[in-house]
Amino acid sequence: MEPQRLTGPEAGVLKYDLLTALSVAGLNGSPTLQTSFMRLMALVTARYNWRADEFCVGQRDMARMWSVNERTVKREIKRLVSAGVLICKRSGVRGRVGAYRLNYGEIARLSEPSWARVGPDFEQRMRARYRQIETKVIKLETYLRDEERTPSAPLKGSPWGRAMTAVAAEHPNLYEAWFARLTFLTFEGGQLHLKAPSGFIQRYVEMHHMPVLLGAVEKELGPIDRVAFEI
C-alpha cells in the first residue's frame, strides 16, 4: 500500500525524512545520480504542492532554477520518471504544463541501503513507514529462476572483489539476493561492464540498487560514468 500524503500534524517530520532519504541516496550514488537528486530536491523544496501531492512547473521555470537549458530539463524529468522516482499525473502537451508526483515507495527503496548512515532513529522511522519494502523484495525473489539464484563468488583481491566484499559485509541480504549474481567484465574509460544472469536481475539492480553498487565500486575503481550490462 502506498503511504498516505505527507499532510497533517506530523507532516513536517515526514517531509524532512523524505528529503533526507533523497539526499543520502544521491550522495551514495554516481555523480549523475547526485546531480539528478539535487535538482529534484530543489524543485520539491521550492515548488511541491503537498496538499495536491504534485508539482506543476513549466520547463522554462525549471531550467532557470537549475541553471540549465530546457532540453536538459526534458532529459532530467524523463530520467526521473524512467527510474520510478516521479510519476506523471498529467503530460505537458499543447502548451499545458505537466504535473508530476513523488513516488514515495520508490524513493524509499532506492534510499533504504543508506538509512543506517543517517542514524538509528531515522532508520526506525523509515522502516515503520515503508515496511512494505522488505515484503516486496521477498516476493520478487520468488520469481528468480534456479540459475538466477546461484551466486558468483567475487574475485578475491581484485577491485571488484574488494567492492563486493564491502557490500556483503554491510548489506549481506542485498549482496546475496542481487549483487552476488553479477559478474565483472571490464572497466575502461569510466565505463563499467557487468554481466547479469537475466534481464530481470539487470533491470532490478538498475532501478533499485545502483547507489549501493556505485558507492562500493567507485571506492575501488574511481568515478564511473556509465554502467553497461551484458546478459
Side-chain angles (χ1 to χ4, degrees):
M1 182 176 66
E2 187 70 14
Q4 63 186 16
R5 295 180 182 182
L6 305 189
T7 57
E10 298 183 0
V13 173
L14 299 175
K15 293 171 187 175
Y16 277 120
D17 282 350
L18 181 71
L19 290 172
T20 299
L22 276 172
S23 67
V24 295
L27 289 170
N28 285 279
S30 66
T32 299
L33 188 68
Q34 290 178 18
T35 300
S36 293
F37 279 18
M38 181 179 292
R39 288 169 175 167
L40 179 59
M41 288 171 64
L43 184 62
V44 169
T45 303
R47 303 294 296 274
Y48 202 78
N49 184 333
W50 296 102
R51 193 167 298 279
D53 197 19
E54 67 177 26
F55 69 83
C56 188
V57 182
Q59 291 179 357
R60 183 177 301 176
D61 291 336
M62 280 191 274
R64 183 172 59 250
M65 180 186 299
W66 295 346
S67 298
V68 298
N69 56 40
E70 292 185 42
R71 180 177 296 180
T72 300
V73 169
K74 291 180 182 178
R75 186 167 58 246
E76 192 69 271
I77 294 298
K78 182 178 180 181
R79 182 185 295 124
L80 291 167
V81 170
S82 297
V85 175
L86 290 180
I87 296 174
C88 182
K89 294 179 65 176
R90 183 176 67 250
S91 299
V93 294
R94 298 179 181 177
R96 183 177 63 178
V97 178
Y100 301 86
R101 77 173 181 86
L102 294 169
N103 186 347
Y104 304 141
E106 192 62 31
I107 292 170
R109 278 187 288 276
L110 287 169
S111 62
E112 187 271 339
S114 302
W115 291 350
R117 296 178 182 271
V118 180
D121 55 336
F122 177 78
E123 184 177 21
Q124 184 177 6
R125 290 197 305 273
M126 292 296 284
R127 289 201 180 282
R129 184 166 179 79
Y130 299 97
R131 55 184 173 273
Q132 78 277 14
I133 296 172
E134 295 180 1
T135 302
K136 289 185 178 181
V137 170
I138 292 171
K139 288 182 178 178
L140 279 169
E141 281 208 63
T142 64
Y143 291 101
L144 298 179
R145 298 191 299 271
D146 289 340
E147 62 269 25
E148 294 174 334
R149 289 180 176 275
T150 304
S152 60
L155 300 174
K156 294 182 179 179
S158 69
W160 172 259
R162 290 194 297 270
M164 292 300 98
T165 298
V167 171
E170 189 168 357
H171 309 287
N173 293 334
L174 190 63
Y175 172 78
E176 288 296 331
W178 305 102
F179 294 157
R181 287 150 181 79
L182 302 178
T183 302
F184 173 82
L185 297 178
T186 62
F187 177 70
E188 186 176 356
Q191 191 161 245
L192 176 65
H193 291 263
L194 302 175
K195 184 175 182 179
S198 70
F200 173 76
I201 293 287
Q202 173 194 343
R203 289 189 296 273
Y204 200 86
V205 169
E206 287 179 327
M207 292 290 289
H208 303 287
H209 301 310
M210 287 303 287
V212 174
L213 177 65
L214 291 174
V217 177
E218 285 185 332
K219 289 179 181 178
E220 299 293 337
L221 295 175
I224 296 173
D225 299 322
R226 180 172 178 267
V227 179
F229 282 89
E230 177 182 310
I231 306 301

